[in-house]
Each structure stands twice: as C-alpha cells, then as structure tokens.
Amino acid sequence: MTTRPPAPSRRALLRAMAVLPAAALVLGEAPGLLGTALAAAPAAGSATRYTIVPFLNSNDGTVNVYQSDDATDFRLLQSSAYTPPSNRIRDASVFKHTDGYYYVTYTTHTWQDASTTIGFARSSDRVNWTFLYDYTVPVTGLSRAWAPEWFVDSDGSVNVIVSCSVTSDEWIFTPYLLKATNSALTAWSSPVALSGIGANHIDTYIVKVGSTYHAFTKNETAKYIEYGTASSLAGPYTITRTGDWAGWGSYREGPSVIRLDNGAWRIFFDGYGDGNYYYSDSYDSFATWSAPKALPGISGTARHFTVIKETVTGGPTLTKNATRSFRSGNYTTRYWQEQSALLNLPVVTSSSTTAEKQASTFTVVAGLADANAYSIRDAAGNYLRHYSFRGRFDANDGTATFAKDATFIARTGSASGSVRFESYNYPGYYLRHYNYQLRVEQPDGTDLFRQDSSFVAATAWA
C-alpha cells in the first residue's frame, strides 16, 4: 500500500458546505462563462469535462490539449493541436464563447524576446485550431505583453487580463484589462491598468463570486502567488494575502482557479522552480488551502495553462433504487463483496454459495450528500463509505461527514460500460482494487490505475 498525500481535514470539509452555497456563484456552466461552474455532481447521462491547452516544457512552439473528468487525471486529447504560423505559443488561456467556439489567447514570443502582441486562435472541437490574428497591445512604450487570461463577467462581457511591461523597465509587469467591443472578439477597448494590484505582478487570474472579484497574482519579486479582492473588475483591489500565505511555496506562477463538483475551489499553478505542476483545494472561500500536490501524468510536461469546466452529454448512468452487483473491469470473474463489513474483490460464480451471492449484491441509491451522485447500500441497510481510505459498510449515523464519506460521483470507466467511483469529499480519489481489497486512492496517471478503478454494474447475483 502506497503512502497517501495529505488530504483536507474533515473540519474543513464540513465548513466548506456551509460557506459555499451554489446560489452564491455568478459564473456558471453555460457557454461563454469562464472561471467556475455550479457545484453539483453531473446528472445521469452527463459528465463534467475540464480542458487545458498547455505549452510544453520541451517546446514552446506548440500546445497539447488534455481533458479530465475530475480535474486531477488529465489525459491527452490531441498532441501538437495548434502551432501558430509564426513566433511561439506560451501561457495559453482557453474559454468557450457563446458562438460555440473555443478560443485561446497566448503569449507570442519567448521570455527572452520583446513581445508586443498576444495571439488568438479558435476551434470548434478543441482538436483542430485556426489562427485568427496577433493583436498589438496599445500600451505606450510596451516591451512585453505576457500571459493573457480570459475573464467573462456576469454581464456576459468578454475580457482579457494581460501582464505588460515597458521598455524603461522591461521586467516590471502590471496587469491590464482589455474588453472585447464586438462579439467576434476582433476589437478591444483601450487597456486599463488594474487598480490596486500594482506594478511587478504577473499572471493575474480572476474569479467572481457573488459581487466580489477575487484576484490571484504572482508577485514577481517574491515569487509567491498573492491574493486580493475588489468590488469592480478594474479595481481597486486590496491585496490581503502575501508571502507564503497558502503554503504553496515560492517560484510559483500561472494560477488558474475553478470550482469542483463538490463545491471546493481548486487552484492550479506552475511550479517552474522544481518542474512540477501543482493543484491545491480550498473549502472555506479561499481562506486556507490543502497542501499542494503534483498533478499526475502531466507534471514536467505541461507548462502554464488555464482550466475550463463544462458539463457535456455522454456520462455514465446508473439506475437508482435498483440492486446490482459490481464486476471488476479488468478482472472479470471478480466482484465487489462485503466481508466482515469490508469491501473486497473475490471471485464470484454461479457455483458460489447463496451467502456469497447475497454479500455481492447491493442497492444503488441517490447520494447522501448530493442527489446527482450515488450511495451504495448492503442488504442490511448499511452504506459503503471510505474510512482510513478503506471501503467498508457502516450504519448511517446522520452526520454530514458520514454522508460525504458515503457519496461517490460516477465517472466514465476505462472498460466499455464501466464506471469509476470518485470520492465526494476527497476529489480525485477513486475506489480501486489493490490486492483484491477496495480502497480510495489517488490516480497516478497510468492506464493500470484507471482499469483497477473501473467496475461494471451487472445483474445482481441475489
């Protein structure tokens, strides 16, 4: 059994659900809204999809496209998906516009070179991209325009936050706001510096919750990601968190913040100082954050990206209030079976005893913590929950903690018709078999883990 990284405390998890009601959010899942999505597991037949378009540690002349259904395990959708006709592509930010197209904006030159333009491209399918234009940012004496980030406000306006420096001090960056003046995104307002953030900040990323704008921005001197708020997009912002306030460490850049299906906020950032790409979660309105973890699979490959979240069709469907047995996706003679309250994966066949068949039969019901998710009951009415990362059955004690421990979000499995069960309160952790025991563990980015965590809902044995 591998050592598990730190996870959010139960106290933080409980506090989260009280302070982050879905109604408090302004940005949502409709096309054109960027930065977050409403917090709820996807309905049956739908799936959550996260997309990133990073440039590569080995090549800043092209970008790959990756997607994930849990914001942790990103899989390659298309390599070298877009290569601009000239110059480079770094720090690509992506969003889906109301016209149905995905748009990226990006830095057009390497960090060593002067760069007065930002690039734009679009795609209908996230795989095939078309160059649109390079836009010269009209800042007097401009030396570099870096790290443009999309922001769609609650009024539907489309904005870009871009970090600019001038020739008199080419390494001191200030965030500027550009607002699209037409729906084609080909004309922009004059740039306005974001008030209150000040010079020497770069990679500013903004999310809006209620009427408040939350800015995450890198202090280019200290190399820490700082945090501030404002009541207007243009500011003035008040920076309230500096230094290593979140425990992420220094030499961090490129923050991107989204909301997970369980209501937590997740920040992604480039740990360029050590070559890893990290994520960290907050359950208390950005006040505290979990210890950063390296993203499996893409750390060391992907560089500076933003994340968009969508709800799409085609997700797994499990019939609720129905009895099922669950077969391993990669060990097809083995089934879930309750043994002394623990969930294991023995061989079950037609010649198994009646007791073994009954212990391998379960009832699927609506999730205790989220009706769009799922909970699993045994014949005695006890619920499958994780406890010390082990799958086990216990009586519902009526607490919010138990409800979350016993709730799982269905994600599409690796085998045809299979489902993966993601822990509701430990996002990115899945039920998987290990030594024929069912545990809740974090993916390592491998196909083997995805297979070990995939199960087919089969006709009940009893």
Side-chain angles (χ1 to χ4, degrees), residues 78-138:
Q78 182 66 43
S79 62
S80 299
Y82 172 64
T83 302
S86 60
N87 303 318
R88 320 309 292 167
I89 176 168
R90 300 170 65 91
D91 316 327
S93 179
V94 60
F95 92 112
K96 189 176 184 181
H97 196 19
T98 53
D99 62 5
Y101 282 91
Y102 298 87
Y103 287 78
V104 292
T105 182
Y106 53 91
T107 304
T108 57
H109 290 75
T110 64
W111 68 271
Q112 299 98 326
D113 298 334
S115 176
T116 59
T117 60
I118 55 176
F120 292 87
R122 75 175 188 177
S123 171
S124 62
D125 58 8
R126 301 176 300 139
V127 172
N128 301 287
W129 293 83
T130 300
F131 171 75
L132 296 177
Y133 62 96
D134 285 341
Y135 176 72
T136 300
V137 180

Side-chain angles (χ1 to χ4, degrees), residues 357-375:
K357 291 178 180 178
Q358 290 174 339
S360 301
T361 299
F362 307 95
T363 302
V364 180
V365 297
L368 295 178
D370 185 326
N372 282 351
Y374 299 89
S375 292

Side-chain angles (χ1 to χ4, degrees), residues 385-446:
R385 53 91 63 95
H386 62 80
Y387 188 86
S388 294
F389 298 99
R390 186 72 162 88
R392 59 174 293 122
F393 288 85
D394 286 312
N396 183 1
D397 64 9
T399 65
T401 296
F402 186 95
K404 296 180 183 72
D405 284 352
T407 299
F408 298 88
I409 299 174
R411 308 295 191 191
T412 301
S414 62
S416 177
S418 66
V419 176
R420 303 173 73 203
F421 292 92
E422 182 189 12
S423 168
Y424 185 80
N425 56 349
Y426 286 80
Y429 284 68
Y430 285 84
L431 275 174
R432 61 85 58 99
H433 64 79
Y434 185 84
N435 286 340
Y436 306 122
Q437 298 177 342
L438 271 294
R439 317 191 67 84
V440 172
E441 295 189 344
Q442 186 182 32
D444 58 10
T446 66

Side-chain angles (χ1 to χ4, degrees), residues 38-246:
L38 298 180
S46 298
T48 302
R49 185 173 72 190
Y50 304 88
T51 300
I52 60 174
V53 186
F55 78 97
L56 309 180
N57 191 49
S58 60
N59 184 1
D60 65 359
T62 190
V63 289
N64 290 349
V65 178
Y66 298 85
Q67 66 181 21
S68 171
D69 55 7
D70 60 14
T72 303
D73 186 15
F74 284 91
R75 312 180 200 185
L76 182 66
L77 177 65
Q78 182 66 43
S79 62
S80 299
Y82 172 64
T83 302
S86 60
N87 303 318
R88 320 309 292 167
I89 176 168
R90 300 170 65 91
D91 316 327
S93 179
V94 60
F95 92 112
K96 189 176 184 181
H97 196 19
T98 53
D99 62 5
Y101 282 91
Y102 298 87
Y103 287 78
V104 292
T105 182
Y106 53 91
T107 304
T108 57
H109 290 75
T110 64
W111 68 271
Q112 299 98 326
D113 298 334
S115 176
T116 59
T117 60
I118 55 176
F120 292 87
R122 75 175 188 177
S123 171
S124 62
D125 58 8
R126 301 176 300 139
V127 172
N128 301 287
W129 293 83
T130 300
F131 171 75
L132 296 177
Y133 62 96
D134 285 341
Y135 176 72
T136 300
V137 180
V139 170
T140 301
L142 181 64
S143 173
R144 288 169 170 80
W146 281 5
E149 304 283 359
W150 295 108
F151 176 79
V152 182
D153 211 336
S154 51
D155 62 2
S157 61
V158 179
N159 305 269
V160 169
I161 311 297
V162 58
S163 301
C164 296
S165 69
V166 295
T167 54
S168 59
D169 205 337
E170 61 182 351
W171 301 116
I172 301 298
F173 288 87
T174 298
Y176 282 81
L177 171 66
L178 305 173
K179 180 175 290 189
T181 57
N182 63 10
S183 61
L185 309 182
T186 56
W188 299 90
S189 65
S190 297
V192 175
L194 294 185
S195 174
I197 292 181
N200 213 31
H201 286 85
I202 194 170
D203 300 349
T204 301
Y205 189 91
I206 295 173
V207 295
K208 187 179 184 183
V209 185
S211 60
T212 301
Y213 297 85
H214 300 258
F216 297 81
T217 184
K218 178 193 176 189
N219 183 311
E220 189 66 344
T221 298
K223 311 300 183 186
Y224 290 113
I225 296 172
E226 299 181 342
Y227 167 79
T229 58
S231 59
S232 170
L233 176 58
Y237 287 84
T238 301
I239 300 296
T240 57
R241 299 289 187 271
T242 61
D244 195 17
W245 66 279

